[in-house]
């Protein structure tokens, strides 16, 4: 029946597209398995091939927003977990690739125009018209864009775009604060905690966002304590909080959050590296 329908649409449905669509459930299962991986070296070796598979499927299904979002999330996770601490320039390119995929998904959600050049007023108008189904695209567009900016922080033009990134993430908070384990709260924990008050930081707001993210994940997502130590405690020059939070991350049981085991393992590795900088930072 499917083959007959493809024939009736004069070849619009190619064999490659049919195979690509049939692969999507397997790809989703692969994502679940990857998130539960605890061996960082195995994950480091496996993720690039997984990403190229996703991009190969996108070649067949370029308008598939779910594939675009999987690519955005995958490039973000690979760059954050395995590249940015070693190669800032390469990480920048990977975040940029994730951002481009996420923007395609955002357009499919109903967002019109180029977010990089539109005015703040137009951006707010567009965001107000987006509903809950746009949350994943909003979140990964903002996340990848923010990290790309972070990798290019010496460029004033890039830093100026952070206000637009925050607008995207504010819409995520308004529509679904629970999305991706309270990820929007983590974003704003860093956003307000990484800068001194004279430059727009707000330590009280930062702490509240971190606490909300911790509550939403029942204290099982180690990334919360890692980022609170790295950004807020560091900016506050609170060495005790820095040490206590990172030590707790390092000593957490590996099975504390099986569905996010890979992210937790990455957090533990990064926490160890940050503890090694304690004397230098304080």
């Amino acid at each position: 029946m499917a083959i007959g329908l493809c024939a009736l649409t004069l070849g619009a449905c190619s064999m490659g597209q049919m195979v690509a669509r049939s692969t999507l459930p397997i790809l989703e299962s692969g994502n679940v398995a990857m998130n539960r991986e605890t061996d960082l070296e195995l994950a480091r070796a496996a993720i690039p091939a997984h990403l190229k598979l996703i991009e190969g499927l996108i070649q067949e299904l370029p308008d598939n927003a779910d594939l675009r979002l999987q690519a955005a999330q995958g490039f973000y996770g690979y760059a954050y977990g395995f590249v940015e601490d070693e190669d800032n320039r390469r990480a920048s390119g990977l975040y940029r690739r994730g951002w481009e995929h996420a923007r395609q998904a955002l357009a499919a959600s109903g967002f019109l125009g180029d977010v990089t050049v539109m005015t703040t007023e137009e951006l707010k108008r567009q965001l107000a018209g987006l509903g809950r189904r746009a949350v994943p695209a909003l979140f990964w567009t903002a996340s990848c864009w923010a990290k790309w900016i972070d990798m290019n922080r010496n460029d004033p033009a890039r830093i100026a775009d952070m206000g637009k990134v925050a607008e995207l993430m504010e819409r995520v908070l308004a529509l679904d604060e629970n999305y991706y384990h309270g990820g929007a709260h983590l974003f704003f924990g860093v956003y307000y905690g990484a800068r001194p008050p004279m430059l727009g930081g707000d330590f009280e707001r930062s702490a509240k966002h971190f606490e909300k993210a911790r509550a939403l994940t029942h204290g099982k997502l180690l990334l919360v304590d890692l980022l609170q130590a790295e950004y807020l405690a560091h900016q506050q020059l609170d060495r005790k909080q820095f040490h206590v939070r990172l030590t707790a991350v390092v000593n957490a049981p590996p099975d504390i959050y099986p569905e996010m085991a890979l992210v937790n393992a990455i957090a533990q590795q990064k926490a160890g590296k940050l503890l090694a900088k304690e004397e230098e930072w304080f």
Side-chain angles (χ1 to χ4, degrees):
M1 182 65 176
I3 294 175
L5 288 174
C6 289
L8 288 173
T9 55
L10 300 177
C13 180
S14 71
M15 182 61 70
Q17 290 173 330
M18 291 172 61
V19 172
R21 290 192 179 94
S22 69
T23 304
L24 297 181
I26 300 174
L27 187 65
E28 185 60 38
S29 297
N31 292 335
V32 172
M34 188 68 73
N35 286 333
R36 299 178 73 91
E37 183 57 61
T38 58
D39 187 319
L40 289 180
E41 289 308 309
L42 179 59
R44 178 196 282 267
I47 290 174
H50 187 68
L51 286 171
K52 291 312 299 178
L53 171 60
I54 294 172
E55 288 198 317
L57 294 174
I58 288 172
Q59 290 293 312
E60 296 293 337
L61 302 171
D63 297 326
N64 188 295
D66 288 338
L67 282 174
R68 294 285 186 177
L69 291 172
Q70 288 189 46
Q73 182 178 343
F75 278 111
Y76 182 101
Y78 180 63
Y80 178 75
F82 302 106
V83 180
E84 73 169 42
D85 292 340
E86 302 171 0
D87 190 338
N88 184 288
R89 184 174 180 180
R90 181 174 176 234
S92 174
L94 294 171
Y95 285 126
R96 179 65 187 245
R97 284 171 74 170
W99 179 36
E100 294 297 343
H101 284 299
R103 289 172 68 187
Q104 291 289 328
L106 187 60
S109 298
F111 189 92
L112 303 176
D114 185 349
V115 67
T116 65
V117 298
M118 66 177 52
T119 65
T120 301
E121 291 72 22
E122 171 62 15
L123 175 60
K124 289 181 177 180
R125 187 188 69 79
Q126 291 254 7
L127 293 176
L130 296 180
R132 195 182 181 95
R133 110 182 152 87
V135 165
L138 287 167
F139 180 82
W140 290 110
T141 299
S143 296
C144 292
W145 193 5
K147 290 300 292 184
W148 181 64
I149 291 170
D150 186 44
M151 296 294 102
N152 296 275
R153 66 184 70 174
N154 293 327
D155 184 346
R158 302 286 75 77
I159 298 300
D161 284 338
M162 277 302 297
K164 291 183 177 179
V165 177
E167 291 289 346
L168 295 177
M169 205 61 92
E170 284 282 8
R171 189 58 178 160
V172 174
L173 272 185
L175 293 170
D176 185 3
E177 67 173 352
N178 293 285
Y179 180 74
Y180 201 71
H181 315 277
H185 285 292
L186 272 181
F187 171 87
F188 283 112
V190 173
Y191 183 77
Y192 289 116
R195 298 170 291 166
M198 68 180 64
L199 296 178
D202 188 325
F203 297 158
E204 184 177 354
R205 290 180 75 176
S206 172
K208 287 181 178 179
H209 280 294
F210 279 125
E211 285 304 318
K212 186 64 176 180
R214 189 172 290 108
L216 289 174
T217 56
H218 308 289
K220 298 187 295 182
L221 186 64
L222 302 181
L223 197 62
V224 180
D225 278 329
L226 172 76
L227 295 178
Q228 187 163 355
E230 182 178 4
Y231 292 98
L232 181 57
H234 183 201
Q235 191 64 234
Q236 292 176 309
L237 298 178
D238 188 339
R239 183 172 183 173
K240 180 179 179 181
Q241 180 188 180
F242 180 89
H243 184 85
V244 168
R245 290 194 183 282
L246 292 179
T247 300
V249 170
V250 169
N251 293 331
D255 60 348
I256 188 174
Y257 200 178
E259 310 95 287
M260 293 292 283
L262 178 57
V263 172
N264 275 352
I266 290 170
Q268 288 183 303
Q269 182 181 72
K270 286 179 174 284
K273 293 178 180 179
L274 288 176
L275 282 171
K277 297 180 179 180
E278 185 174 349
E279 289 292 337
E280 173 187 347
W281 281 13
F282 295 93

